[in-house]
Amino acid sequence: MTARNHTRPAAHRRARRWGAVALAIAGLTSATALTTNHTVSAVPPTAKSEGLLCTPPTGATPGQANYVLTAKEGIINLPDGNSMLMWGYANGNGAFQYPGPVMCVNEGDVVTVTLRNQLAVRTSALFLGIDGVTANGAPAQAQFDQTATTATLRSLTDDVAPGGSITYKFTAGHPGTYLYESGTDPELQIEMGLVGSLIVYPTTPADTSDLLGESVGHARLAYDDPNSRYSTEHEYMVLLTELDPDVHYAVEEGGVLQSADYTEAYTPRYFLINGRSFPDTIAPNGAGWLPAQPYGALAHVEPLQISATPTESDNPLPALIRYLAVGGEPYPFHPHSNHEKVIAKDGRLLSDGGVDLSMEKFAITVDPGSTIDALFTWTNVEDYSATANPTPVPGPDQKNLTEGEYWSGSPYLGGQGVLNPEVQAKNVCGEYYHVAHNHNLAEATNYGAAFGGQLTLIRVDPANTTNCGNA
Amino acid sequence: MSREHDTGADTPRVLSRRNFLIFGGGAIAAVAAGGGAMAATAAPGARGKMPPGLVDRPNVRQLALSVTDGWAGMPRELPVIDPYFPDTLAPAPLDTYIFGFRDVTGLDRPIVQSQAGKAQISAPVIEATVGEEVWITLSNLGLLTRPDLVDSHTLHWHGFRNAIPYYDGVPETSISVPIGRDFTYVFRPEDAGTYMYHCHFEDVEHVTMGMTGIVFVRPAANSAWAYDDPDTEFDVEMPIMLTEFDLAGHWNDAHIQTSDWTSYKPDVWLMNGRAYPDTLAPSGVRDDITGDLVPQVGFEHLQYQPQTSKIRATGGQRVLLRIANLGFQEQTLAMPGIDLVSVGSDARWLTPDQRTVSDTLVIGAGESRDVIFVAPQWRPDGNNTYPLFNTDPTKYRGNLDGSDQWVGGQRTELEVEA
Ligand SMILES: [Cu+2]
Ligand SMILES: [Cu+2]
């Protein structure tokens, strides 16, 4: 693309993995079909390949949701060939994963989370925005190292020594999107990967009506409010984190076990969505070459379509994007192609005494430690088509253009052309791709190399097609 | 004071007082009205020459932008940053390597070509009205200082609703424009508000090098409203694009060095492509014969930064600030003692329940805000300037002897005129 090449830090770009990404998008195959090694993936092979992937609670008692998290060490892969030592919350006896399991519970559930510590340091789980958490039966509270004359904050919540376990319990009082993370030396431990998400679904009777009152079977409310209706087939997580490799190298060398031991200036070089950076963000859930990074971030929709008289082919429901962020600075996330309607922040609907305060935004700034829920649709407003409604200005010959690998070769949704021979085409069926990315563009890079980092794609398939995979 | 309401998109737009303020003080505006500076705001059919290869059509606003490299000038008071600033390759009195857009609407092809190496920052302000069709022809003139860089460029209208990839300007998901080639982007804006545009090719580099500008859309109902709502009426308006420059990154690009953008650390913070005190200098103009930009006398270092940020109004006038942030940082601006009413955010009208009234505003990277304030009455004692500035004291460089801490930062002022 440019005459310079961004080779740092690693020269070993893995061609194998790029090929796998292309195949994964092209075939939209299930995650396990692509597994070419015997590494145990952190998610089961039946997992759906796209969208929010819940880890269901164990135990069958209604109203009870039980989880076991195991804090342990593991390795993640970055798209430039680098790999990084991490600490993370694994699901029960499962493999290391980053981020932690997506815990999905219902409003009113009594949630029990047992944390087992297999790290060499004390650790904990802090549930942001959740009231009334108990630890081993007593109200959870900050922990201090005390001497006769001083008290030093050790943890923002009850923590557990290496080898031990601790049980947190709370009632999921409000629907919404929540973060859980280490409250123990969070500056280091969150950086190291001890972070995950908690989704609380409302108890409002499953609302299966779409925007027209038609029953479509996959409508759901994000909150106890009809304005939060979305399609369960299009529910996505965007968990934004960052990594400074120097911290991880230092931990790996054994020199650092708490942030006080780490004195160099903090400079993050990798910026991740759901534990991956682009192009890994668009790989399927459970992709075999990312065994410890199970969560993809490709959003995949069809155009919004609402007919005056409802038809079978109508597509009236928005997608729901659940944004979460940890780190030191706000991430300004910019979805291309359309505004998103921000309906909730930190697990609370944006409304004031019944007044709807939701807001359509083209840049969604997600503050550290906070969450935002937003609805997304894309409408084929112009409905350009090669024959009936061509673009007003005929495009130049393709030889006079630089073409991109996700480009179909046609301006028209569903249209396809042959790309210039040097382009490795990844388009399947004339679908549209739009980027959604951090607009601090230095953070949409892999260690400075553009078109990476906190960037993912929104894929829009032509309506009612059968040749676009499982959309 | 007079309120001027334009009559509609189909009439050639006469530069009104509002337009004057976009592009500078009264003196500049007089030149602009005669000489066609900032032709990017030309109304449909208002100009004689269309972009190459296109025909004149009713209700189509046809603009031509070129993209190339060039040199800008930071404040004369700015301390040296060895070896990055001033850049020794720069032709005097300029000092900072940039990539940027230029408005070449109405210029003949050879004149357009002669503008290679003469990019400007901030990019030309583009104005459109709901119901119009906007054609923007982008011509890639190449990079004179870096002929080894064969980068394509694009135009991404940031925030355009229901965009299609073909006209979204993301090279990986559609097409980009190679050196020596043209491409015409087509938009039919349906929603009033303040947006922005930028190149998306090697985005972190091209954006921070200066390929950023404001585009705003007027409602069809009334061009003196910010949105389709009478309580967004204004008398004067001022677009303000916020960006930052890491001067090492600019020097690196001129000197064939690679930057690690994750080490990005700004040295100067800009409004409309200028740092204080240059923000207050008058706007420059385009000479339609040579095609080049012409600086105001005494401000020769601002030849390729033609947009002022100085706000002029008479007491009681309603002033609309269209603020967009294409830097990489969140910024907080303050105008002490002035009630800034937020009427729009990210090109969406805010309901009365959603509005805030404050003398500060926070704007994240990639966001836009429309705020309206009422200019205070003119005071005979001469105290008629009101600063609008970034509240973070670390986001200024300060001048050489430390006597003016605001140098190199985002600071401008309102001057209330009699
Ligand atoms: Cu560019
Ligand atoms: Cu943008």
Side-chain angles (χ1 to χ4, degrees), chain B residues 44-191:
Chain B
R47 305 277 160 186
K49 296 196 184 87
M50 292 299 120
L54 301 183
V55 291
D56 202 353
R57 293 208 332 180
N59 210 33
V60 175
R61 184 184 293 260
Q62 302 195 18
L63 310 171
L65 297 180
S66 63
V67 282
T68 182
D69 62 350
W71 298 91
M74 292 299 118
R76 305 294 86 183
E77 301 85 348
L78 206 65
V80 168
I81 305 172
D82 196 43
Y84 304 119
F85 178 83
D87 191 325
T88 49
L89 289 180
L94 309 176
D95 50 42
T96 304
Y97 188 51
I98 57 169
F99 297 171
F101 292 86
R102 278 288 307 282
D103 173 15
V104 293
T105 308
L107 299 180
D108 286 330
R109 177 64 90 174
I111 302 292
V112 172
Q113 200 57 46
S114 73
Q115 299 309 300
K118 296 180 174 178
Q120 77 174 57
I121 56 170
S122 184
V125 175
I126 299 176
E127 171 189 340
T129 299
V130 169
E132 280 179 349
E133 191 164 296
V134 183
W135 295 4
I136 304 174
T137 300
L138 193 73
S139 305
N140 183 348
L141 305 182
L143 306 171
L144 279 199
T145 297
R146 287 296 303 276
D148 60 309
L149 277 188
V150 292
D151 289 13
S152 298
H153 295 284
T154 71
L155 185 149
H156 166 58
W157 180 324
H158 175 116
F160 194 86
R161 297 179 73 95
N162 296 298
I164 65 169
Y166 194 50
Y167 295 138
D168 194 47
V170 176
E172 294 83 359
T173 63
S174 66
I175 56 93
S176 46
V177 186
I179 296 171
R181 300 289 184 267
D182 296 337
F183 181 76
T184 299
Y185 294 86
V186 176
F187 303 96
R188 292 184 179 127
E190 296 185 2
D191 300 273

Side-chain angles (χ1 to χ4, degrees), chain B residues 215-240:
Chain B
V215 50
F216 62 82
V217 178
R218 301 193 187 284
N222 190 322
S223 65
W225 298 354
Y227 291 90
D228 250 322
D229 174 17
D231 78 354
T232 63
E233 182 166 30
F234 59 89
D235 303 300
V236 296
E237 68 186 330
M238 173 61 79
I240 297 180

Side-chain angles (χ1 to χ4, degrees), chain A residues 334 336 437 439 441, chain B residues 156-159 196-198 200 207 326 366:
Chain A
H334 170 55
H336 281 226
H437 62 92
H439 219 285
L441 295 169
Chain B
H156 166 58
W157 180 324
H158 175 116
M196 52 207 100
Y197 70 100
H198 59 84
H200 227 294
V207 163
L326 278 177

Side-chain angles (χ1 to χ4, degrees), chain A residues 1-6 8 267-271 330 332-334 336-339 355-365 367 377-382 384 389 391-396 399-408 410-411 432-435 437 439-451 455 457, chain B residues 54 57 133 135 146 148-152 156 158-168 170-178 181-184 186 188 190 194-196 198 200-205 207 253 256-264 325-328 330 345-348 350-351 353-354 364-369:
Chain A
M1 312 261 276
T2 67
R4 294 162 302 144
N5 61 28
H6 295 281
R8 198 156 55 74
T267 310
R269 307 292 186 180
Y270 294 101
F271 303 89
F333 207 77
H334 170 55
H336 281 226
S337 84
N338 206 0
H339 286 57
V355 178
D356 180 10
L357 296 179
S358 65
M359 201 180 288
E360 289 179 338
K361 298 278 296 164
F362 56 58
I364 296 171
T365 298
D367 294 320
T377 64
W378 183 86
T379 304
N380 196 359
V381 169
E382 297 294 352
Y384 288 127
N389 182 25
T391 55
V393 183
K399 288 193 294 296
N400 293 323
L401 295 171
T402 309
E403 296 179 310
E405 59 196 0
Y406 298 99
W407 166 237
S408 68
S410 162
Y432 282 169
Y433 288 99
H434 280 287
V435 292
H437 62 92
H439 219 285
N440 174 353
L441 295 169
E443 299 182 346
T445 71
N446 295 322
Y447 216 137
F451 208 52
L455 185 147
L457 297 179
Chain B
L54 301 183
R57 293 208 332 180
E133 191 164 296
W135 295 4
R146 287 296 303 276
D148 60 309
L149 277 188
V150 292
D151 289 13
S152 298
H156 166 58
H158 175 116
F160 194 86
R161 297 179 73 95
N162 296 298
I164 65 169
Y166 194 50
Y167 295 138
D168 194 47
V170 176
E172 294 83 359
T173 63
S174 66
I175 56 93
S176 46
V177 186
R181 300 289 184 267
D182 296 337
F183 181 76
T184 299
V186 176
R188 292 184 179 127
E190 296 185 2
T194 301
Y195 302 79
M196 52 207 100
H198 59 84
H200 227 294
F201 192 94
E202 293 283 332
D203 52 13
V204 57
E205 175 189 11
V207 163
D253 258 15
I256 322 187
Q257 304 295 311
T258 300
S259 294
D260 172 6
W261 298 105
T262 60
S263 295
Y264 177 81
N325 182 1
L326 278 177
F328 298 166
E330 186 172 275
S345 163
D346 287 2
R348 293 311 279 170
L350 294 177
T351 66
D353 288 320
Q354 291 173 324
E367 295 184 334
S368 79
R369 298 279 183 277

